[in-house]
Amino acid sequence: MKTYLRSQRRPGLWLLLGTAALTLISCGDDEGGGPTEGAIAVQSQTSGVDFDSDGYLFSVNNSQGQQIGHEQTVYVPALEPGTYEVRLNGIAANCTVPAEANPQEAIVVAGDTVDVVFPISCEPAAPPDDPGGPPQP
């Protein structure tokens, strides 16, 4: 009877050892499960009066400009991790962005969104010049 019991335990032991080995092998460093891209949230914050009538343009690493409004956030998704330059253009003559805020550096991390905020200040626009001069009598 002892021989019979001993032979029944061995298949279970081998099954247990095999399962343990497969578990250890499958728990290796698998980097494929996490996010591989990040994003930039570009924000315009305009204050003052006489805002730029057509909004602004922003570019990421000198790409073609994308439209952004006066108080708007535009997301730029699917970016590889790294450092990007974000620049605001198309600003009316009566509006300014502080020199230290344009361009800005954005460090994109996989699985995260980095904010880039452009503070824009607009003053009253100068009246257009009267090309005809004073009225004629």
Side-chain angles (χ1 to χ4, degrees):
M1 185 67 136
K2 285 185 176 184
T3 307
Y4 174 74
L5 291 176
R6 207 176 318 162
S7 66
Q8 290 292 17
R9 288 186 189 168
R10 286 188 184 215
L13 178 63
W14 286 111
L15 181 61
L16 179 65
L17 289 175
T19 303
L22 288 174
T23 302
L24 290 173
I25 292 170
S26 67
C27 289
D29 292 336
D30 183 17
E31 297 179 21
T36 60
E37 299 174 332
I40 298 175
V42 181
Q43 301 175 28
S44 61
Q45 295 180 346
T46 307
S47 62
V49 294
D50 289 339
F51 293 176
D52 194 339
S53 62
D54 59 355
Y56 317 103
L57 295 173
F58 74 90
S59 62
V60 177
N61 283 357
N62 295 316
S63 65
Q64 182 178 358
Q66 294 183 37
Q67 190 74 29
I68 188 168
H70 306 289
E71 292 287 329
Q72 187 178 6
T73 300
V74 176
Y75 291 90
V76 182
L79 296 172
E80 292 183 10
T83 303
Y84 293 83
E85 181 184 86
V86 184
R87 181 180 300 274
L88 191 68
N89 296 303
I91 304 166
N94 64 308
C95 298
T96 58
V97 178
E100 67 274 5
N102 194 24
Q104 293 187 43
E105 183 178 271
I107 300 174
V108 173
V109 177
D112 201 5
T113 299
V114 61
D115 293 325
V116 173
V117 180
F118 288 103
I120 303 127
S121 177
C122 296
E123 300 295 325
D129 291 336
D130 184 5
Q136 298 294 325

